[in-house]
Amino acid sequence: MLTLLPANIVELAVLLAPGMSYFVAVQSSDHEQRFLLCIHPLVHCFSRRRVNYSIMASKIELYSLATPNGIKVSVALEEMGLEYNAHTIDLFNGGQFKPEFVAVNPNAKIPAITDPNGPDGKPIHLFESGAILIYLAEKTGKFLPADPRLRYETIQWLFFQMAGVGPMFGQFAHFYKYATEKCKDPYPLERYSTEAKRLLGVLEKRLEGRQFLVGEQYTIADMATFPWVRFFETGLNAAEYLGFSNFTNVVAWKDRCMERPATAKGLNVCPLPPGV
């Protein structure tokens, strides 16, 4: 996005988003200077000579937390080599309900992004991790195959995660770890344990003879799914309870994803509070 602001004295307040980085070209009759401007605090004032300020946001803004859903997008940003600013949304203290975040995602869920250079050259807010992954893949031409058959296979397995793995593993996590005192009825945990194992079985069969979910290519489908599988070990300590080691193809695939340097870096963006 390019905005020209001619003025003798230019005051930039709400026009620029706090925390974002901008490249600024300062031009006058005798010279031109270019420098990086980080907008913080809200107001910056320039004066003394008549100049034109060409201001262009240079980075994607990521609003997230290192949950299985949040990790998907930070991994994608790292793997795709996109520059971004990471903003940690504290879900444990109501950070998702702050007006400035709800302005980005009216559903008040992480992750969300703002791309100052959207498809039409204008800023765009995006929420829902699957939509963000497709958007970033199409923006960069990476991790979503160009071949039509492989492209739809990738989208199919991405939606499998969005509609199945995420919701069902999330419900298992709720009743296994977070609702143990509130719900004494064994049925919910039994229900979601059974479904989690069934979904792991689907993944196990799919990964037979394959390095990744779509053959030999690491795609956004893998980025979306492995954080939830990893969660059984790192977030829930439920691997033994679910017999996770029996799903040998899934375990090997999960490790294969995490061995990628850019993916490993993406796991540590917007870290969770200590002890969570």
Side-chain angles (χ1 to χ4, degrees):
M1 179 184 66
L2 190 63
T3 305
L4 297 179
L5 300 171
N8 288 318
I9 299 176
V10 179
E11 294 187 358
L12 305 177
V14 210
L15 292 173
L16 304 181
M20 292 180 67
S21 297
Y22 297 81
F23 285 112
V24 179
V26 181
Q27 296 178 322
S28 68
S29 57
D30 54 349
H31 74 285
E32 175 179 323
Q33 293 179 317
R34 294 180 182 272
F35 57 92
L36 183 65
L37 171 66
C38 293
I39 306 304
H40 200 309
L42 281 176
V43 180
H44 284 254
C45 298
F46 301 88
S47 60
R48 297 201 177 183
R49 66 175 66 206
R50 183 176 182 82
V51 294
N52 286 339
Y53 296 90
S54 298
I55 301 171
M56 181 172 60
S58 62
K59 296 182 180 181
I60 288 172
E61 304 298 318
L62 168 67
Y63 306 91
S64 192
L65 190 67
T67 66
N69 273 335
I71 285 170
K72 302 174 191 177
V73 177
S74 54
V75 163
L77 288 166
E78 291 292 340
E79 285 282 358
M80 294 173 189
L82 290 166
E83 291 190 339
Y84 66 98
N85 293 314
H87 308 273
T88 300
I89 304 300
D90 186 354
L91 304 182
F92 301 94
N93 288 296
Q96 68 273 36
F97 300 116
K98 291 184 177 180
E100 55 267 34
F101 180 66
V102 174
V104 176
N105 181 2
N107 195 34
K109 303 285 186 181
I110 61 100
I113 66 168
T114 298
D115 185 354
N117 301 296
D120 54 0
K122 298 177 183 179
I124 184 172
H125 298 312
L126 284 173
F127 60 93
E128 289 297 331
S129 57
I132 296 171
L133 289 175
I134 292 173
Y135 173 79
L136 295 176
E138 291 185 338
K139 180 182 179 73
T140 60
K142 298 178 180 179
F143 302 106
L144 182 59
D147 177 270
R149 176 177 292 274
L150 295 178
R151 176 185 175 85
Y152 284 113
E153 280 192 30
T154 302
I155 293 173
Q156 167 185 265
W157 285 99
L158 172 63
F159 282 22
F160 170 77
Q161 187 283 311
M162 299 297 297
V165 169
M168 295 300 102
F169 286 16
Q171 290 298 320
F172 167 78
H174 178 75
F175 289 104
Y176 179 79
K177 182 175 181 178
Y178 301 109
T180 54
E181 296 301 319
K182 294 181 178 180
C183 181
K184 300 299 183 181
D185 189 328
Y187 174 75
L189 182 57
E190 291 172 0
R191 161 80 175 92
Y192 292 112
S193 297
T194 300
E195 182 63 4
K197 291 176 184 178
R198 187 191 72 80
L199 292 168
L200 285 170
V202 174
L203 290 171
E204 179 75 5
K205 185 175 181 180
R206 173 65 181 179
L207 288 163
E208 184 69 38
R210 291 183 174 89
Q211 292 291 300
F212 299 104
L213 288 173
V214 185
E216 303 303 307
Q217 301 184 58
Y218 185 60
T219 69
I220 56 174
D222 301 288
M223 296 177 196
T225 309
F226 90 83
W228 277 103
V229 173
R230 169 182 177 265
F231 187 50
F232 288 137
E233 298 174 314
T234 61
L236 298 177
N237 296 319
E240 184 176 354
Y241 178 85
L242 291 171
F244 186 51
S245 61
N246 297 324
F247 301 96
T248 55
N249 293 332
V250 175
V251 172
W253 160 78
K254 181 263 299 178
D255 292 342
R256 199 174 299 123
C257 293
M258 292 175 57
E259 287 169 359
R260 297 175 61 92
T263 288
K265 186 176 180 181
L267 298 176
N268 298 314
V269 176
C270 299
L272 291 162
V276 174

